[in-house]
Amino acid sequence: MSRMAATRDGYGQALLELADNDRVVVLEADLGKSTKSLHFRKEYPERTISCGIGEQNMLLVSAGMASSGYIPFASTFAIFTERAFEQMRNGVARPNLAVHLCGSHGGTHTGTDGSSAQSIEDLAIYRTLPNVTVLHPCDDVSTRLLTKQLADSNKPSYMRTARNKTPVLYDDVDQSTIQIGKGIELREGNDVAIIACGVLVSEALKAAEDLSQQGIQATVIDMHTIKPLDTDLVDKVASRCGAIVTAEDHSVIGGLGGAVSEHLSTSSCTPLERVGVKDRFGESGQADEMLELMELSAPHIAKAAHRAMNRK
Amino acid sequence: MSASISELEELARRCRIEIVKMVYRAQAGHPGGSLSEIDLIAALYSTTMRVRPEDPDWADRDRFILSKGHASPGMYALLAEKGFIQHQDLHSYRVLGGICQGHVDMKWCPGVDFSAGSLGMGLSFGMGCALAARLDGSERRAFVMLGDGEIQEGSIWEAAMAATHHELGNLKVILDRNRIQNDDFCQEQMRMFDIPAKWKAFGWNVKEIDGHNMEEIVEGIKFLDSSNDGPSILIAHTIKGKGVSFMEDNPSFHGAAPNDEQYALAMSELGVVE
Ligand SMILES: Cc1ncc(C[n+]2csc(CCOP(=O)(O)OP(=O)(O)O)c2C)c(N)n1
């Protein structure tokens, strides 16, 4: 489990593997080197459409192509996808066109570029759109597999990837367990359940390790699909553990924590603590410094687990 | 405040050294567009900008909006030279808690009038500053620095049309025409054809200059100063990475830091004697 990789590399790899399907097209907005669509561009320039620095145009060009039978994969930084939010809403989600939007460099983990580049609201906003699948995988393997599944999904999607390397979790697992809409139970315990996504999944595993030293057994779930949420799994671990922590490099408002609490408020009275960015903007800092500053790292997740358990 | 041509050139050279140092120390950041813009910013602040370094929030100051906010090292170097910030502050570039954030930010750094980082936003913001100045009956002006890749954003053209509609003679743009954007040359990413003709068609006063020839730059700024019947734009033909041989005209140094050897070479090319 020592390999380190960035999820954006899994995305780039998936596009290459999808190229056999000649309906797959790739759209860029001058960040292909960063989102990793550049590999596809090099091999298949005729199926790669440069939109210049024009995200709004990119989204609707994608919609037009989807309406004509193509399968567009469009990418830019997560933050700059947001400039085209209304295009995504009215031009893509409303007519239910299978445009696949990928936002790389999501979260404060993206680092020293600073607050203007650190999207902490993307999961929240895309989650509000009917028809749109929202994903935020935690390693390059799952990113690659989930991206490939999107091509057959016939629905629009938003996927967040991250800039920096994190531990790879799925090199040696049965790949059929990685499916859109199905959370993955990485560790089983009965005291508290930590439901995490993206770069915080490996932090959640560290937190569970620390908790076990204190005699607390934590379940850890990689909830790579934020929408549709795997509510069966949430209910299952809520009744088994009786306390829940959500963890994401995203605002505490509206993302994974929002989705899980919205669901739980209709199904059980399980205490829940949300680890996330506390309604503030980020700033320039190294990835690990940002996880500390924003109180997202393993020790903060473990503390939140205690708080949740105390409320049982 | 009138500096001689050689003083301006010397100021820009010192700024170039600081730009390369900042990016080298951070091992991240955007040297290319900082080196292409710096002659223009140095001349602008030295010849026409009405600002008070000791009172950076002075309400009637001219505004400078670095819309291509990734080219922040250029801005920080100039702010340090002009006394808005200390040279020591340049060490805080991209460092946790530092006033020199990755992208220029008005909430963090004195002398910065706009929180940038997302391209295509500064011209509309500048238009707002210009309109506010007019409503206040103030003589102050808004200067906006745009990148050439940046003008591919549709919002730039919304603002370009609106500024003419509102006859904003106090809105003045400098376009850093360095022909390179993030992934590659503009020519590869999005051909823009006749850029001066586009701005003219939108009703702007347009002048083109060599953006590294200080005499032409000073003339160009005089053109901006004196065109007050509507918005005006100075299109400065520049070289991305100007002043450091291996960065010049090289898309790889849009957003990459030099290594140790490259750094040493850059310092010697910029006339630093150890
Ligand atoms: C809306 C938006 N899209 C994408 C980016 C990412 N980005 C940062 S710099 C850059 C290229 C800018 O090129 P240009 O405007 O020519 O700047 P310069 O060459 O002067 O550095 C891109 C695409 C961004 N900052 N904002």
Side-chain angles (χ1 to χ4, degrees):
Chain A
M1 250 188 24
S2 56
R3 189 167 72 88
M4 300 283 286
T7 51
R8 58 185 171 134
D9 288 315
Y11 177 76
Q13 181 60 31
L15 294 184
L16 276 183
E17 292 174 21
L18 282 168
D20 285 346
N21 181 343
D22 62 7
R23 307 311 281 176
V24 168
V25 290
V26 164
L27 292 95
E28 299 185 329
D30 195 28
L31 281 170
K33 277 200 227 166
S34 306
T35 69
K36 298 299 172 190
S37 62
L38 86 161
H39 304 303
F40 188 98
R41 185 212 306 165
K42 265 196 208 128
E43 298 290 319
Y44 308 96
E46 70 292 348
R47 274 195 278 153
T48 307
I49 295 111
S50 167
C51 297
I53 309 177
E55 298 80 9
Q56 301 177 69
N57 191 44
M58 177 171 75
L59 258 283
L60 293 173
V61 171
S62 301
M65 295 193 80
S67 78
S68 313
Y70 283 89
I71 307 174
F73 283 80
S75 67
T76 177
F77 281 10
I79 192 76
F80 305 130
T81 68
E82 292 176 23
R83 165 167 307 199
F85 178 71
E86 199 234 333
Q87 278 79 1
M88 183 72 172
R89 192 265 185 200
N90 270 329
V92 173
R94 199 164 53 101
N96 199 11
L97 293 165
V99 169
H100 304 295
L101 177 60
C102 173
S104 73
H105 294 56
T108 62
H109 196 254
T110 204
T112 65
D113 271 347
S115 60
S116 68
Q118 298 165 346
S119 170
I120 48 172
E121 58 285 316
D122 53 339
L123 302 176
I125 62 174
Y126 292 113
R127 196 169 75 76
T128 62
L129 298 180
N131 299 326
V132 176
T133 300
V134 179
L135 303 171
H136 182 24
C138 71
D139 81 346
D140 67 332
V141 176
S142 52
T143 305
R144 182 169 63 80
L145 295 170
L146 293 167
T147 303
K148 289 172 73 175
Q149 288 170 28
L150 286 172
D152 302 319
S153 73
N154 254 328
K155 285 157 62 70
S157 69
Y158 173 76
M159 174 187 281
R160 182 209 270 195
T161 59
R163 173 184 191 273
N164 294 310
K165 292 181 177 175
T166 46
V168 176
L169 301 180
Y170 299 123
D171 263 338
D172 307 315
V173 305
D174 171 8
Q175 305 204 329
S176 69
T177 58
I178 299 171
Q179 296 288 340
I180 294 173
K182 294 272 170 243
I184 300 168
E185 213 167 328
L186 291 168
R187 182 177 175 126
E188 224 182 286
N190 293 330
D191 298 326
V192 60
I194 306 170
I195 303 178
C197 61
V199 299
L200 290 200
V201 173
S202 55
E203 292 296 318
L205 286 169
K206 273 189 245 164
E209 198 55 48
D210 295 346
L211 288 167
S212 79
Q213 312 276 309
Q214 306 160 28
I216 296 163
Q217 300 313 323
T219 287
V220 175
I221 288 173
D222 168 11
M223 197 60 97
H224 51 68
T225 305
I226 319 296
K227 185 183 182 182
L229 188 68
D230 188 348
T231 52
D232 290 345
L233 184 58
V234 172
D235 288 336
K236 187 178 101 181
V237 298
S239 66
R240 185 172 80 212
C241 303
I244 287 192
V245 173
T246 58
E248 64 202 302
D249 182 8
H250 182 278
S251 172
V252 287
I253 301 171
L256 175 64
V260 173
S261 19
E262 283 163 25
H263 170 69
L264 277 181
S265 70
T266 66
S267 68
S268 81
C269 298
T270 315
L272 178 142
E273 293 286 329
R274 286 167 298 151
V275 172
V277 178
K278 296 188 178 69
D279 199 19
R280 59 158 292 184
F281 288 108
E283 56 183 269
S284 290
Q286 301 296 334
D288 50 344
E289 291 175 332
M290 291 313 296
L291 294 192
E292 277 316 313
L293 183 73
M294 297 290 145
E295 303 183 0
L296 307 175
S297 60
H300 296 284
I301 298 173
K303 271 188 223 155
H306 281 288
R307 287 198 304 273
M309 286 186 299
N310 287 340
R311 289 171 46 207
K312 271 191 197 179
Chain B
M1 227 197 342
S2 73
S4 71
I5 295 296
S6 60
E7 282 167 342
L8 292 175
E9 288 169 345
E10 175 55 17
L11 171 62
R13 186 185 69 90
R14 288 197 305 272
C15 288
R16 284 196 160 87
I17 294 167
E18 293 304 334
I19 290 168
V20 176
K21 284 187 171 174
M22 268 181 268
V23 176
Y24 173 69
R25 280 191 300 257
Q27 279 301 298
H30 298 87
S34 294
L35 293 167
S36 62
E37 76 190 0
I38 195 59
D39 293 317
L40 298 154
I41 300 184
L44 190 70
Y45 272 81
S46 302
T47 64
T48 193
M49 286 284 288
R50 295 185 287 239
V51 288
R52 298 175 179 166
E54 69 290 354
D55 183 13
D57 297 330
W58 171 43
D60 243 358
R61 71 190 183 280
D62 285 340
R63 302 300 200 268
F64 178 69
I65 291 141
L66 184 65
S67 189
K68 38 170 274 188
H70 56 280
S72 55
M75 175 101 219
Y76 296 139
L78 193 278
L79 290 176
E81 283 288 339
K82 293 293 178 191
F84 285 88
I85 61 176
Q86 305 297 307
H87 270 90
Q88 190 56 33
D89 291 323
L90 301 179
H91 288 258
S92 79
Y93 174 60
R94 288 181 176 254
V95 171
L96 190 67
I99 64 170
C100 295
Q101 293 282 300
H103 292 75
V104 287
D105 195 317
M106 64 190 288
K107 287 287 174 207
W108 283 83
C109 188
V112 171
D113 290 325
F114 177 58
S115 291
S118 181
L119 296 169
M121 295 197 172
L123 187 54
S124 303
F125 186 94
M127 179 175 163
C129 295
L131 275 169
R134 179 196 281 171
L135 284 174
D136 285 349
S138 164
E139 296 284 293
R140 64 180 189 263
R141 297 141 328 149
F143 292 90
V144 180
M145 170 75 76
L146 299 177
D148 51 358
E150 176 178 23
I151 66 169
Q152 294 160 7
E153 284 287 1
S155 54
I156 291 294
W157 301 99
E158 295 177 20
M161 186 182 290
T164 309
H165 175 75
H166 291 283
E167 298 173 13
L168 287 171
N170 56 353
L171 179 61
K172 294 155 193 311
V173 169
I174 299 177
L175 178 68
D176 183 357
R177 178 70 174 122
N178 62 28
R179 303 183 303 110
I180 294 177
Q181 46 194 97
N182 184 76
D183 278 355
D184 208 338
F185 287 91
C186 302
Q187 194 65 15
E188 300 300 320
Q189 290 291 300
M190 183 55 62
R191 289 175 296 160
M192 290 180 277
F193 302 99
D194 192 339
I195 292 176
K198 286 186 166 63
W199 289 92
K200 278 179 202 148
F202 275 71
W204 285 56
N205 299 307
V206 179
K207 183 178 171 72
E208 291 182 77
I209 56 160
D210 172 347
H212 299 305
N213 176 322
M214 221 26 114
E215 276 164 26
E216 286 194 32
I217 294 174
V218 169
E219 280 310 304
I221 291 171
K222 282 186 191 147
F223 153 81
L224 290 179
D225 276 344
S226 59
S227 335
N228 293 317
D229 54 337
S232 38
I233 181 168
L234 188 60
I235 299 178
H237 295 278
T238 58
I239 295 170
K240 201 154 175 171
K242 173 72 177 177
V244 178
S245 58
F246 57 90
M247 292 188 183
E248 284 190 4
D249 221 24
N250 179 357
S252 313
F253 278 97
H254 165 74
N259 62 25
D260 293 351
E261 270 163 58
Q262 291 169 327
Y263 174 72
L265 180 59
M267 286 299 111
S268 78
E269 288 180 1
L270 290 170
V272 177
V273 268
E274 292 301 330

